[in-house]
Amino acid sequence: MWAQTATLPMNVILAPSQKALTPHLEIRGGRRLEGEIRVSGAKNSALVLMAACLLSSDDLKLRNMPALSDIQGMGEILESLGVTMNRGEGFVELNASGLNQSSPPYELVNGLRASFFCIGPLLARTGVARVPLPGGCQIGARPVVEHVKGLKALGAQVTIEHGVVSAVVPGRGHRLTGGKIHLDCPSVGATETLMMAAALADGETTIENAAQEPEVVDLAGLIIAMGGKVRGAGTPTITIVGMERLHGADYMVIPDRIEAGTLLLAGAITRSKLRITPLIPEHLGAVLSKLEEAGCTLESDGIGMTISADRVRAVDLRTQPFPGFPTDLQAPFMSLLATAEGTSVITEAIFENRLQHVAELQRMGAAIRTQGNTAFIEGVPFLSGAPVTGSDLRASAAMVLAGLAAEGTTLVQGLKHLDRGYDRLEEKLRSVGASIERHDVG
Ligand code: UD1
């Protein structure tokens, strides 16, 4: 059945009602892909590593930085605090010796959740921080109670009024004190906020039930490179010995495991053979297992991973904190399963509102029904191109994948989400044979 869809004419003409009036990607689906795609630096690491520049007055150089609007946004927030920044091709140099503000403006913080994590290093370095609450987003409420609870355990006085979290360290030296923190849930952001806060605290801090994500390990690597002491990152118990000061560093961001997973899925959904590099298999264990269970062949060569897909079978999965299946690949994986043989069951267990892509996939002919946070996906022989909108970053990626596989033309709107987290996605996909064009106006 796939072979039929792959040979459909590519010159489908859109009816006037299908023309998109906002920036969009136009994808002519059904092409097999072939070749190699390079993965950029990890967005979620890079954002937090940028915030860590606040911990020192020396230069911090970060390499392998992805070109993303979120990175631009984080840079603007840091500049508003007095940080100087120099961006070049694939790197950024930051210097927080002129740090003169403790309160990033709401207009910049709003919409970039990771910017809230600045509260940890700001408080540790200056003894005071006022950061607007990040608020909810499309995928869920996204509380920060664990961040706040942890900062209090390190001696901060924290109040939340009029949508702003104000934290101050009382006492003459305004220095946080190491302490024992037990997180009620292994929040990635809380773990990172508290690691940065603890890095300059007086004494030793233990974070129990810490997040074990690779981005947490990357942050630990940077703190160590800056002269700090961190043990246990990547396990549920992290110990940080606070230092009086940290120095500068020259540090390389890890490859983006979510981008790598999305690109492997591009290979799978188009039943192609693609090499994705660099890819660290340990960062994607649960995803690689599910791809193999679905019938894909994976070959690691030590630097990259080659995926070959022919027939794809249904699989069941449930999102979990690392090392479980990542919530950020749930939507993209659903696109693949919409084309698999048999019925798959996906349960989203991290965020309460992260199945919004289902309705859009249905518009492309997917047979999916939902019950609460569980989706039952009955694979169909082919999807059909349609105008669709990605409601959040990963939902947008799911739409692009579906478009690559669909018969006819798909117009993906909602690019402001996609551009937050995927570095030149259409360029990369085009380089391996996809027909995908960006149109800035309708
Ligand atoms: C990070 C990632 C995001 C990913 C998410 C889960 C960044 C910039 N973003 O987000 O891409 O989807 O991890 O892997 O790194 N929670 C609480 N109380 C809290 C904090 C969190 O109940 O105080 C809950 C959340 O509602 C959610 C779960 O914990 O259900 C995971 O959230 P968290 O790990 O904090 O996600 P982020 O760090 O915001």
Side-chain angles (χ1 to χ4, degrees):
M1 196 49 104
W2 176 262
Q4 282 173 18
T5 61
T7 54
L8 274 173
M10 301 295 165
N11 56 345
V12 179
I13 295 170
L14 291 173
S17 61
Q18 283 181 287
K19 292 236 173 182
L21 296 173
T22 57
H24 59 276
L25 293 177
E26 179 177 348
I27 306 169
R28 290 164 194 248
R31 295 196 176 194
R32 282 184 208 271
L33 310 179
E34 191 180 355
E36 177 176 310
I37 307 186
R38 280 200 73 77
V39 176
S40 299
K43 168 183 84 87
N44 287 350
S45 252
L47 289 171
V48 176
L49 300 184
M50 286 174 81
C53 81
L54 297 170
L55 289 170
S56 169
S57 53
D58 295 347
D59 289 338
L60 172 63
K61 181 164 186 171
L62 297 173
R63 299 176 194 264
N64 198 29
M65 290 290 287
L68 300 171
S69 60
D70 266 10
I71 297 293
Q72 174 80 18
M74 189 61 152
E76 285 167 18
I77 288 165
L78 292 171
E79 282 179 327
S80 79
L81 298 173
V83 172
T84 56
M85 185 172 69
N86 172 32
R87 283 201 75 173
E89 187 60 37
F91 72 86
V92 63
E93 288 163 337
L94 300 150
N95 184 293
S97 57
L99 180 63
N100 55 18
Q101 287 289 326
S102 54
S103 181
Y106 173 73
E107 300 72 49
L108 295 179
V109 170
N110 184 32
L112 179 45
R113 179 179 166 78
S115 62
F116 183 79
F117 309 166
C118 286
I119 196 168
L122 264 182
L123 192 59
R125 175 103 178 274
T126 66
V128 55
R130 279 171 54 80
V131 184
L133 277 169
C137 69
Q138 292 288 337
I139 62 176
R142 316 204 67 174
V144 289
V145 283
E146 296 301 320
H147 311 55
V148 169
K149 214 176 65 181
L151 293 174
K152 284 182 177 169
L154 299 183
Q157 288 175 351
V158 188
T159 52
I160 304 178
E161 272 177 349
H162 308 296
V164 177
V165 181
S166 299
V168 60
V169 187
R172 279 215 324 196
H174 301 292
R175 188 171 178 204
L176 291 165
T177 313
K180 195 166 174 172
I181 300 164
H182 181 93
L183 298 180
D184 284 342
C185 66
S187 158
V188 178
T191 303
E192 293 167 341
T193 299
L194 298 171
M195 282 167 74
M196 290 188 278
L200 288 179
D202 184 9
E204 187 173 291
T205 296
T206 309
I207 307 173
E208 289 174 352
N209 197 26
Q212 300 172 59
E213 268 70 359
E215 294 75 22
V216 168
V217 180
D218 209 21
L219 174 61
L222 176 62
I223 293 173
I224 292 166
M226 294 171 81
K229 288 188 183 157
V230 185
R231 284 195 312 273
T235 77
T237 305
I238 302 177
T239 304
I240 304 112
V241 180
M243 310 302 286
E244 273 197 47
R245 69 176 295 277
L246 293 175
H247 54 66
D250 186 335
Y251 194 76
M252 182 92 146
V253 180
I254 54 170
D256 196 311
R257 65 192 167 104
I258 305 301
E259 186 197 7
T262 305
L263 296 171
L264 287 174
L265 287 163
I269 201 168
T270 56
R271 310 301 192 260
S272 304
K273 183 170 181 180
L274 269 188
R275 179 168 183 262
I276 310 302
T277 185
L279 185 152
I280 300 171
E282 296 74 31
H283 289 181
L284 275 168
V287 178
L288 302 180
S289 301
K290 287 294 164 189
L291 283 168
E292 283 183 328
E293 199 183 322
C296 302
T297 306
L298 298 170
E299 250 176 89
S300 172
D301 54 35
I303 301 173
M305 172 86 60
T306 301
I307 185 165
S308 325
D310 184 11
R311 296 178 70 164
V312 174
R313 296 187 291 272
V315 294
D316 297 342
L317 62 91
R318 181 185 181 85
T319 61
Q320 283 171 334
F322 192 85
F325 191 96
T327 174
D328 287 349
L329 282 173
Q330 178 261 110
F333 214 102
M334 192 180 294
S335 294
L336 172 66
L337 295 179
T339 70
E341 291 171 21
T343 302
S344 308
V345 182
I346 291 186
T347 303
E348 171 55 53
I350 304 290
F351 291 112
E352 63 271 24
N353 195 21
R354 210 173 200 184
L355 290 181
Q356 291 181 56
H357 45 282
V358 168
E360 297 297 287
L361 287 174
Q362 284 167 338
R363 299 184 66 248
M364 297 180 72
I368 307 173
R369 71 186 168 82
T370 57
Q371 199 173 14
N373 266 347
T374 299
F376 301 86
I377 306 125
E378 200 182 312
V380 293
F382 56 87
L383 297 170
S384 54
V388 286
T389 302
S391 51
D392 67 70
L393 169 56
R394 307 303 172 186
S396 305
M399 295 304 120
V400 171
L401 293 179
L404 292 176
E407 278 186 354
T409 302
T410 296
L411 302 182
V412 181
Q413 301 178 62
L415 299 189
K416 71 174 194 304
H417 297 300
L418 197 70
D419 294 340
R420 283 186 42 220
Y422 287 94
D423 183 359
R424 291 161 293 159
L425 181 62
E426 71 269 20
E427 241 176 71
K428 292 185 182 187
L429 290 172
R430 214 168 28 239
S431 75
V432 291
S435 170
I436 175 167
E437 295 295 333
R438 178 178 288 251
H439 299 286
D440 284 329
V441 285

